[in-house]
Amino acid sequence: MDIEKGTIRKITTALLCAVLSACGGGSSGSGAAPSVEDSSNSLLRSVSSDEEFVARFKSAYTQTNGNRQDQQPPLAAEGAAADNSESPSGYSSTYTLEDNVDEFDVLKYDGDYLYIVPTIQQTCCFISQGNAAFASDALVAPQNPQNPGSIRILSTNPDDASAQEVTTIPLADGEYVQGLYVQNNRLISIGTTQFYGSYGDAWQQIAPWGQQSVAVKIYDTSNIDNISQLWNISIEGGYVDSRRIGDILYLISRHTPYWDNIYYYPASQQEANANKQTLAGTTSADIIPRITVNEQTKPLLTAEDCLITRNDKADEYAYPVITSITAIPLNNPNSAQTTCYDEDANGIYMSANALYLSQARYGSSEGQTRVHKFALGAGKPDYRGSADIAGSLWNRGQVDFRMSEKGNQLRVVTTRYTGDSDDLRDHQLTILQEATDDLRLDQVSTLPNSSRPAELGKPNESLYGVRFLDDRLYLVSFEQIDPLYVLDLSNTTDPYIAGELEIPGFSDFLHPVNDNLLLGVGQSAQNQGLVKLSLFNVSDISNPSELTTVLLGKDGGWNYSEAQYNRHAFTYLAQADGTDRLTVPVQTSYNSDQGTYISENRLYLMEINGKSNPAAASLDLIGNIIASPSPAENWYGGQNRSVIHDDAVYFLSGDYIWSALWADPSTQIGPQ
């Protein structure tokens, strides 16, 4: 990683941690909670009564901080993805981690219209534009709309790569739209009352939890000239994440009630006693979040619908936050159902069948991650069990790639911190499955183990790219070289390292081209500062090889791609003729020979050819589309997305679209 990029990541993390240090974690739910017998060893159990629900919640404010298990503020996932990119309609869709599990994003496309969320302008951390110069004055972006702005809708003509704004959806004051879904002539927006940032998925780190709400608005777009709002849904709490499976929107939120005179982290017995007095008359109605659907308000859940942490120790910390999983039928949001529990959630992974919520726990010096599984179906999410895993999960990159479900098993990669200065971190694969006799996730196997002690990565190497693909696991670790590991998971009771390749640089993001080819997006070590794309031949997993590399950006400058930490910035579309097309945005900053500072955003167009013969496959650079901001404004091009539709390419940079035909990217249109 180059120094400037590393510095920005550290500053961003420090700012987030400073904010997070003021908040806590917790959870709750709605609908009938699963029946958990008292003899169970499950980590969560049903609330026995309204009185127990209130007492547990109060106890979070009447214990001193010395009993807390989460002394360090956890970091949430920075983004993640599945490959449903091969669209039979001839156009690309949002890159996701799992097929058939849609993820919201700032740009959505339905084959006819582009739907664009306005950039939420940052209030700090801009690169000074005072001495900026840009490649082409003709490509200067128009003035960005001021908050709240509007959702822009542009019609497209893929024959000539043109786009034209046809309408907008104005946003209310204080309405921060984080992303969109499109489905069956419906546009679904997810808005919040707080802005959580735009680096990766930093907005998932919610602090403080109180006095927030999440807004879900569903629009009918069947007549684009007369868009109507069908549903307006508001849920009390901070936004964690969401996914869509068919007609069901799954929304994860966190809530804590607000009191003017409460010590949220009592540091002394005097403060704890003051909280007891403040909360003396508290009822469950004061604690439970509310949902409003088209101006009709009701409780999101009941106390008896919640799960709570099994607490057998009198001094074990109770969480003052309710984490809710709400299943919202898009056809009838009034029938939404919720499950909740009383622990925090640092990140999620969702398959087509289950939702896994995970949280960092700090009772162990090596780190520990707790995972809860909820089965998905026609009704509310159903608790299926939990497990504690050694090591940390949510520490860098697109970390939900570190989790993968196959059948009834969950595969997880964590990082354990050893305290050994010569080898600070060890990486571990853990495979879990549901127990047959309890609500529990049992360990099937781990790697390394006593029979296979070889480490996953060289000493002191951090873990970068991770990708589970059927019975294989690809891992990229890095300190000075870039080992690519291929693990064979076909026998889940005995996984093993099948092959290894050492090359310079590293890959943050891994994409499967097919069973024999793997694409990596990361950074070059030999040409420091350049974005590196590597095409790997993995047809022989015992002997993986690097076929070719392409370097992107300006040599000697500072270059990075949003696709390294946010999969939604990566676009991939397979063609009927066997050629695969892909686009990668790169932001470049450098000093020109004249001493001026130049900043530009480019979208690089590439093809993978000959993929049916992995030994002869190639990665070919076609060209790029450039979008540069005006030097007169504090322009922030944080959202870079693209769409491929037949031979047309649409590049969203900031709030505006640049476009071109694939065969002639230098002849471009924009900004629109």
Side-chain angles (χ1 to χ4, degrees), residues 20 23-28 44 68-75 206 209 240 252-254 265 309 317-324 341-347 357-362 370-372 394:
L20 280 169
C23 65
S27 72
S28 177
L44 297 178
R68 293 191 56 200
Q69 298 298 314
D70 61 340
Q71 293 295 318
Q72 304 178 46
L75 294 181
I206 314 303
W209 317 117
V240 178
I252 297 91
S253 59
R254 287 183 281 197
Y265 289 95
T309 307
Y317 181 70
Y319 290 85
V321 174
I322 295 170
T323 297
S324 301
Y341 70 105
D342 71 337
E343 291 189 340
D344 60 347
N346 308 128
L357 289 169
S358 57
Q359 63 179 119
R361 298 178 70 83
Y362 298 95
R370 175 165 290 184
V371 178
H372 302 297
W394 306 106

Side-chain angles (χ1 to χ4, degrees), residues 13 74 245 375 441 467 536 541 617 642:
T13 300
I245 300 177
L441 300 180
R467 195 67 188 259
F536 300 102
I541 62 174
S642 60

Side-chain angles (χ1 to χ4, degrees), residues 525-545:
Q526 294 174 324
N527 302 82
Q528 291 190 4
L530 292 179
V531 175
K532 176 184 177 183
L533 272 68
S534 297
L535 185 63
F536 300 102
N537 180 355
V538 291
S539 56
D540 179 2
I541 62 174
S542 65
N543 187 31
S545 62

Side-chain angles (χ1 to χ4, degrees), residues 92-110:
S92 61
S93 58
T94 301
Y95 194 98
T96 61
L97 178 57
E98 295 288 350
D99 290 338
N100 303 315
V101 182
D102 194 13
E103 302 172 16
F104 86 149
D105 196 23
V106 296
L107 173 68
K108 284 291 183 176
Y109 186 54
D110 61 9

Side-chain angles (χ1 to χ4, degrees), residues 103-137:
E103 302 172 16
F104 86 149
D105 196 23
V106 296
L107 173 68
K108 284 291 183 176
Y109 186 54
D110 61 9
D112 295 310
Y113 299 100
L114 296 162
Y115 303 87
I116 303 170
V117 171
T119 300
I120 302 173
Q121 298 298 310
Q122 301 278 40
T123 57
C124 70
C125 311
F126 287 109
I127 297 175
S128 172
Q129 304 290 340
N131 60 348
F134 301 94
S136 172
D137 292 338

Side-chain angles (χ1 to χ4, degrees), residues 135-141 160-163 600-605 623-629 647-653 656-672:
S136 172
D137 292 338
L139 299 177
V140 169
D160 61 6
S162 62
E600 58 191 23
N601 282 359
R602 294 178 185 262
L603 182 73
Y604 288 88
L605 283 57
N624 64 78
I625 299 173
I626 181 173
S628 293
D647 290 325
V649 184
Y650 298 96
F651 176 29
L652 172 68
S653 183
Y656 297 94
I657 293 288
W658 283 258
S659 57
L661 290 171
W662 190 267
D664 187 17
S666 61
T667 303
Q668 60 186 71
I669 305 169
Q672 295 291 335

